[in-house]
Amino acid sequence: MTQPPTAPPAPPPPPVPAVPDSGTPGAHPDANVTSQLTPSGGGRRTAWAESVHRIRAAAVTEPGRLRLIGAVVATLVVLFGAVTAWQVSDRVEAADAVVDHSQPLSADAARIYRSLADADTSASSGFLAGGDEPRSERRRYEKDVREASELLAAAAANSADSPGAQRQIGTLNRGLPVYTGLVEAARANNRQGLPLGGAYLRHANAKMRGELLPAARKLYTAETERLGNDYQDAKSWPLLAIGAGVLTLVGLGWAQRRNYRRTNRVFNQGLLGATAASLAVLVWLVGGHAMARSGLGESDTKGASSLAALNEAWIGALQARGDENMTLVARGGGAAYEDSYKKQMADVAGGEKAGDGGAGELNGALRAADDSAGRSAVQDAKDAVATWKKRHAEARAEDNGGDYEAAVRKVIGAKDSTGQSFDDVDGSLSKASAHEQRQFEDAARSGRGWFGGLAMGAMVLAVLSAAAGLLGIGRRLSEYR
C-alpha cells in the first residue's frame, strides 16, 4: 500500500537580533540610539562645545561667515584702540614725570649739594676775616643753610617711593644741625681770638666733606637716574600698539578683498570707513610719538645734559674754593687742602682755550651748550677760572713767603682777590644754568604736547571704526534676506 506524501518541514523562524546590554536592568532596546546623539562620555555637550558647534554650523553658510568676519573685524579694531590708549597713557605719565617731577627733583638735589658746599665756603671765608666777620658772608651762609633745609623737606615729601633717596635725606637731616653747631662754636672761639676756633672749623669741614656732601652726591645721583629712567619710558616706542594697528589693517584689507572677489564690488563703504579710521589712528600714533620723542630728546640733549655738565663744574668750583680757604685756616698745616684744590681745579678747568675740546668739566659744559647764549656764559666762567688760578698762585706765594695777612687779602679781599674770581665763576654758571633750564622746560613741554589727546582720540576712532565695519558687513547681510 502506497504511503501518502508527507509535507515538507516548516522553515526555522528568523533569529531575533540580540539587544545590547545597557548595563541597567530593564533598559529600553533603543537606548543605544540616544547614546549616539551625545558625546562619547555619555554626558551632555558643554556650553563651549555647543558654541563651537553652532559657529561651525553657521560658518558653512555665507551669512554665517559674514557675521563671523564682522565679529573678528570689530574685535581687532577695538583691541587696537584699547592697546593704543594704554601704551600712550603710560608714555604720557612718564613724560609728565620728566617735566613735573624727576627733572625738578634732580635740579633740587644739585641745589642741595651746591647750597651745602657754598655754606662751607662762606663759613671758612667769614672765619678768615677774623672776629669782625663781614655781614655779607654771614647772610650768605645763613641763606645757604636755610635753602638746603627747605629743599631737603621738599625732597623728602617727593621721594617717598625711593628708599635710597630717603636714606640720604635722613643722613643730611641728621648731620646738618651737627655741622651748623660746629660752625657756631668755631665762630664763638674766633671772635675771642682763641685758636680752638680753627679746630672746630676743621672738624665742621671734615663733617661736611666726609658725610654731608657724599650723601648729597648720592641723592643727586639717585634723582638723576630716576630722570634717565623716566626719559627712557617716555621715549620708548609703543610696539604692541603699532603691531596691533598693522594686524587690524591687514584684517580689514583681507575682508575687503574677499568682498570684492565674491561680489565684484570694488568698495564696501563701511569697511572702507573702518580702514580709514584705523589708518588715521596708526599714523597719529607713529607720527605723534615720533614728534614727542624728538622733543623729549631735545630737552635731554639741549637741557638736562647741559645742566648735568654745568652742575659738575659748579660743584667742583665750590669745593676748590672751600679747599683754598681751608688751606689758610690750617695755618701751615693745609698741604692736604692745597692738593685737593689743585685736583678740583684740574677737573674743573681742563684746557685753557675756548672750544679746544680738552678735558675738564667746563669744557664739557661748553660742548654741551647748543647756542651762543649758553656758550657765552660758560666761556665767561672759563675766563674767570683762569684769572682765579693766577690770583691763587699769588696768594700761595705770599703765604709761603711768610706774609699770612697778605695771603688772606689775596683770597678774601674786596678787589683782585680769588674770592672775586670765584664770585664771577659762580655768577656765570648760575646764568648758564638758568638758560639751560629754560631750554629744557620749553623742549620737554613741546615734546609732551604731541601726546595730547592721542589716547582718547584712539579710543573714539576705534569705536567709530568698529561701527563702520559692522555697518559694512550688515549691508552685505541684508542682501540675503
Side-chain angles (χ1 to χ4, degrees):
M1 183 174 184
T2 305
Q3 294 291 333
T6 59
V16 179
V19 178
D21 187 4
S22 66
T24 303
H28 193 277
D30 292 336
N32 64 320
V33 177
T34 303
S35 67
Q36 296 175 6
L37 301 178
T38 60
S40 59
R44 296 180 59 83
R45 182 182 286 128
T46 64
W48 171 255
E50 183 67 25
S51 299
V52 172
H53 175 74
R54 290 179 179 177
I55 291 174
R56 288 178 176 175
V60 301
T61 64
E62 182 60 16
R65 294 191 189 100
L66 288 174
R67 291 188 182 95
L68 183 59
I69 291 171
V72 171
V73 165
T75 300
L76 284 174
V77 171
V78 172
L79 181 64
F80 172 38
V83 172
T84 298
W86 162 50
Q87 291 208 296
V88 168
S89 296
D90 283 349
R91 280 145 185 82
V92 169
E93 184 178 352
D96 288 341
V98 167
V99 178
D100 301 326
H101 190 70
S102 53
Q103 196 282 330
L105 280 178
S106 177
D108 285 348
R111 288 175 61 196
I112 290 172
Y113 194 110
R114 293 198 304 267
S115 295
L116 293 174
D118 194 61
D120 196 48
T121 297
S122 299
S124 58
S125 294
F127 187 90
L128 286 174
D132 189 18
E133 180 181 4
R135 292 177 62 86
S136 59
E137 292 295 344
R138 179 68 178 178
R139 286 194 297 267
R140 182 169 179 168
Y141 167 82
E142 291 174 346
K143 174 180 176 295
D144 287 332
V145 171
R146 183 172 59 254
E147 183 178 71
S149 299
E150 292 172 352
L151 290 172
L152 283 171
N158 292 303
S159 301
D161 58 341
S162 177
Q166 287 289 321
R167 283 194 298 271
Q168 306 312 321
I169 292 170
T171 298
L172 290 166
N173 280 327
R174 290 189 299 270
L176 187 56
V178 176
Y179 169 80
T180 56
L182 291 170
V183 171
E184 292 307 317
R187 280 202 178 101
N189 282 275
N190 194 38
R191 281 194 298 269
Q192 299 175 44
L194 300 176
L196 191 59
Y200 273 113
L201 190 62
R202 287 193 296 272
H203 191 185
N205 180 263
K207 179 77 172 177
M208 178 65 73
R209 296 293 183 90
E211 181 180 331
L212 299 184
L213 290 183
R217 164 68 74 175
K218 291 178 182 177
L219 176 62
Y220 172 64
T221 301
E223 297 299 348
T224 302
E225 288 178 355
R226 181 190 297 191
L227 173 61
N229 292 334
D230 288 337
Y231 261 123
Q232 185 176 356
D233 291 343
K235 294 194 296 182
S236 62
W237 282 100
L239 297 179
L240 190 59
I242 293 173
V246 172
L247 181 62
T248 299
L249 290 176
V250 169
L252 287 166
W254 175 85
Q256 290 179 88
R257 181 173 181 274
R258 182 183 184 277
N259 180 69
Y260 168 72
R261 294 183 66 181
R262 289 181 173 270
T263 65
N264 206 30
R265 296 172 182 171
V266 177
F267 297 117
N268 178 289
Q269 294 180 350
L271 291 176
L272 188 62
T275 303
S278 297
L279 182 61
V281 174
L282 184 59
V283 171
W284 189 3
L285 171 64
V286 175
H289 185 80
M291 296 302 296
R293 182 185 175 92
S294 175
L296 290 170
E298 183 178 347
S299 74
D300 187 10
T301 57
K302 294 186 177 181
S305 296
S306 296
L307 283 169
L310 288 169
N311 284 330
E312 293 299 329
W314 208 343
I315 288 168
L318 286 164
Q319 290 182 336
R321 177 60 177 169
D323 287 327
E324 182 178 52
N325 287 344
M326 291 305 298
T327 302
L328 292 177
V329 170
R331 283 185 174 264
Y337 293 115
E338 178 64 15
D339 291 342
S340 179
Y341 164 85
K342 291 177 180 178
K343 179 182 181 302
Q344 293 295 339
M345 268 300 188
D347 291 342
V348 171
E352 295 297 333
K353 295 181 180 179
D356 63 359
E361 288 149 358
L362 282 175
N363 280 320
L366 193 60
R367 289 192 295 271
D370 64 299
D371 59 9
S372 59
R375 286 190 293 270
S376 175
V378 177
Q379 185 58 50
D380 289 343
K382 280 176 63 68
D383 295 340
V385 165
T387 303
W388 179 4
K389 292 172 69 175
K390 293 176 183 177
R391 291 174 177 175
H392 175 82
E394 295 172 359
R396 292 313 310 144
E398 296 285 0
D399 189 28
N400 292 334
D403 194 345
Y404 178 79
E405 296 300 328
V408 169
R409 286 194 298 272
K410 285 285 186 180
V411 171
I412 64 170
K415 184 178 180 182
D416 296 334
S417 66
T418 61
Q420 187 180 23
S421 297
F422 166 74
D423 288 341
D424 291 341
V425 174
D426 188 69
S428 296
L429 291 177
S430 178
K431 180 180 178 181
S433 181
H435 174 74
E436 297 299 341
Q437 181 68 31
R438 288 192 297 270
Q439 283 203 318
F440 162 81
E441 292 172 356
D442 292 343
R445 290 195 178 107
S446 176
R448 181 178 61 175
W450 285 100
F451 286 129
L454 178 53
M456 181 61 68
M459 284 303 301
V460 171
L461 287 175
V463 171
L464 294 176
S465 179
L470 292 175
L471 180 62
I473 297 295
R475 292 290 300 271
R476 286 282 294 116
L477 283 171
S478 65
E479 298 172 0
Y480 290 88
R481 296 170 186 166

